[in-house]
Amino acid sequence: MRCRWAARLLVLALVVGVSDSLGAQGQSSRDVVTGSELRQNQPNPFESETSISFTVGGYPNCADPGRQYRVSLRIYNVLAQLVAVPVFQGGVGGEAPGRPVENVFLTCGEYTARWDGKVMRTGREASSGIYSYRLEIDGRALTRKMTLRR
């Protein structure tokens, strides 16, 4: 019984920590080391699907346009469980639409991913609630919140 309460408190602390690190619901989060940026999903809140835009390598002022960055984008529920991996919607660099944004190497540019609001591997619709999405670029993470409303 104590373990369950400890786990719930840990999850609550993580959610609050993520909320605090995000600050106000501004338009973007930026990593000063890589110059990358994670933007707020559109629309937010959303009902069926949403788009997530991000830039890699300080785009449009790329210091090293040929450099490859390892990039992953994942969506988590409030229990920090992986829910989905969005897919490319298109973008600079000719990324194929529909390709998962997971451990891909991208050059400096602007990209857009799409989440259809479904839980990966099951195909069922995710339930209403608050989710976080985490962009990892060369091991450095940017996180934002989004709301799914059914």
Side-chain angles (χ1 to χ4, degrees):
M1 187 75 160
R2 280 189 210 165
C3 290
R4 285 186 186 169
W5 280 105
R8 288 179 180 156
L9 287 174
L10 176 62
V11 168
L12 181 60
L14 288 172
V15 169
V16 169
V18 167
S19 298
D20 289 345
S21 70
L22 293 175
Q25 283 289 330
Q27 293 301 311
S28 67
S29 294
R30 182 175 285 277
D31 179 16
V32 295
V33 173
T34 64
S36 301
E37 181 178 22
L38 177 60
R39 297 192 181 115
Q40 186 63 51
N41 66 301
Q42 295 294 324
N44 188 36
F46 68 102
E47 294 179 10
S48 60
E49 69 177 48
T50 189
S51 294
I52 302 167
S53 297
F54 60 95
T55 62
V56 175
Y59 181 83
N61 304 318
C62 305
D64 185 3
R67 179 177 172 198
Q68 298 274 313
Y69 298 85
R70 179 184 294 264
V71 177
S72 291
L73 180 61
R74 296 182 179 108
I75 297 172
Y76 297 92
N77 62 19
V78 294
L79 298 175
Q81 297 168 323
L82 180 63
V83 173
V85 175
V87 297
F88 280 105
Q89 193 168 318
V92 175
E95 281 305 317
R99 179 179 177 198
V101 185
E102 186 167 35
N103 290 321
V104 294
F105 287 94
L106 301 175
T107 57
C108 181
E110 184 171 24
Y111 301 90
T112 302
R114 180 184 64 80
W115 180 40
D116 61 5
K118 295 185 179 174
V119 177
M120 67 179 189
R121 295 189 190 104
T122 66
R124 66 180 171 80
E125 292 183 343
S127 60
S128 295
I130 296 174
Y131 292 83
S132 63
Y133 53 104
R134 177 183 170 109
L135 177 68
E136 241 180 76
I137 301 175
D138 287 346
R140 298 185 57 84
L142 295 168
T143 307
R144 296 192 63 85
K145 293 187 298 185
M146 68 175 127
T147 303
L148 173 56
R149 187 175 51 189
R150 296 257 183 227

